[in-house]
Amino acid sequence: MDTALADRLASVDARIVDAARDAGRDPAEITRIVVTKFHPASLITDLYALGVRDVGENRQQELTAKHRELGALEGLRWHFIGQAQTNKARAVRAAADVVHSVDRPRIADALDAAGDGAVLDVLLQVNLTDDPGRGGVVPAEAEALAAHVASLGTLRLRGVMAVAPLDEEPAPAFARLRACADEVRRVVPDATWISAGMTGDFPEAVAMGATHLRIGSAITGPRPARD
C-alpha cells in the first residue's frame, strides 16, 4: 500500500473534521469525493482499500473505462462532475451513480431518456460568475430548472453544485450557492445536497453548508502527464 497516499488522505480528512467543527457542524454530514482525473484505475483500487467509497471523474471516456474495470467493487459510488453533453448522456448514465452537472433542460432530458427505469441522482450545476460561457445555470433560473428535473421520472434531484470563481474570495461565492440551494429546496424540499469546495477552498465551502467536497491532488498527488 502507498503510505504517502494514506497519509494524504488522513491529512485531508482531519482538515475536513476541523472545518466542520469550526462551523459547528457534524463531520458525518460531509461526503468526501476523491477526484481521480487522469490517474490510473489502480489508484482507485488503493483508495478503496483505504476506505474511500466516493470517487469523481470529469471526463466521460475516463469514467466509462474505469467503471468498466472497477465496477464490481462493492459500494463504490461514481460521481460525474464534468461538463455534461447530450450526446454522451447514455454513456454517462451507464457508469455514474451521481451526475453533478445538470445545467439545462436538454441535458436533463437526455439523461432521463437514457434511463432504463432506475433512478439517477443529479445535481444542478450553478454558474457563480458573470460569464455566460461558463458551465452552469444562472441562479435566477435554478428554480425553473429544478422544477423541470423534478418532472422527469428517472431523475432524482439531490441539490446543487458549483465551482468558486477564480477572481473572488470563495466565501461570498459559496454564500450565493447556499442561497440558490435554499431556492431549489422550495421546489424540491429534500434536495439538500450542496456539492462545493475543492482542495484550495473546502473549509469555506464547509462553513457555507457544503455536504459534498470534491478533492483531487491534495489526496491523489500530482496528476500524471497525459500522453
Side-chain angles (χ1 to χ4, degrees), residues 2 21 44 77 84 96 115-116 142 166 173 196-197 200 226:
D2 184 344
R21 289 176 176 165
I44 297 177
R77 289 176 292 272
D116 59 0
L166 296 176
R226 298 182 64 183

Side-chain angles (χ1 to χ4, degrees), residues 1-10 32 34 36 39-55 69-70 73 76 78 219-220:
M1 178 57 64
D2 184 344
T3 57
L5 178 64
D7 289 345
R8 291 192 298 267
L9 179 65
R32 175 252 299 124
V34 182
T36 53
H39 287 277
S42 59
L43 178 72
I44 297 177
T45 303
D46 291 342
L47 289 165
Y48 186 86
L50 293 168
V52 170
R53 294 296 181 270
D54 291 271
V55 295
E69 184 172 346
L70 303 175
L73 290 177
L76 186 63
W78 298 85
I219 294 172
T220 63

Side-chain angles (χ1 to χ4, degrees), residues 12-213:
V12 167
D13 284 349
R15 291 173 59 199
I16 293 172
V17 169
D18 289 343
R21 289 176 176 165
D22 288 346
R25 298 181 58 196
D26 181 355
E29 299 174 350
I30 299 169
T31 298
R32 175 252 299 124
I33 301 166
V34 182
V35 180
T36 53
K37 180 180 181 181
F38 300 149
H39 287 277
S42 59
L43 178 72
I44 297 177
T45 303
D46 291 342
L47 289 165
Y48 186 86
L50 293 168
V52 170
R53 294 296 181 270
D54 291 271
V55 295
E57 291 292 339
N58 293 72
R59 300 167 67 246
Q60 173 268 314
Q61 297 93 330
E62 204 170 348
L63 170 73
T64 298
K66 291 177 181 176
H67 181 268
R68 184 181 298 118
E69 184 172 346
L70 303 175
L73 290 177
E74 184 177 359
L76 186 63
R77 289 176 292 272
W78 298 85
H79 298 254
F80 183 71
I81 59 178
Q83 197 66 38
Q85 299 177 21
T86 56
N87 64 338
K88 297 182 178 180
R90 187 169 299 279
V92 167
R93 175 141 198 177
D97 297 297
V98 187
V99 175
H100 289 234
S101 48
V102 173
D103 62 357
R104 57 199 187 280
R106 282 189 63 206
I107 188 62
D109 292 343
L111 288 168
D112 181 58
D116 59 0
V119 174
L120 175 69
D121 289 335
V122 301
L123 296 95
L124 306 186
Q125 181 177 352
V126 179
N127 184 355
L128 298 178
T129 76
D130 294 326
D131 179 2
R134 289 287 297 270
V137 63
V138 297
E141 297 176 7
E143 279 192 67
L145 182 57
H148 182 79
V149 171
S151 73
L152 300 175
T154 72
L155 304 186
R156 175 167 54 190
L157 183 59
R158 286 295 202 172
V160 297
M161 180 274 263
V163 177
L166 296 176
D167 58 353
E168 70 170 297
E169 292 299 313
F174 290 143
R176 296 198 300 278
L177 180 63
R178 182 169 183 169
C180 187
D182 292 342
E183 294 172 0
V184 167
R185 283 198 299 274
R186 286 202 286 266
V187 180
V188 182
D190 58 353
T192 58
W193 295 7
I194 299 177
S195 172
M198 300 186 294
T199 293
D201 56 21
F202 71 78
E204 291 89 345
V206 170
M208 290 297 164
T211 61
H212 291 66
L213 310 177

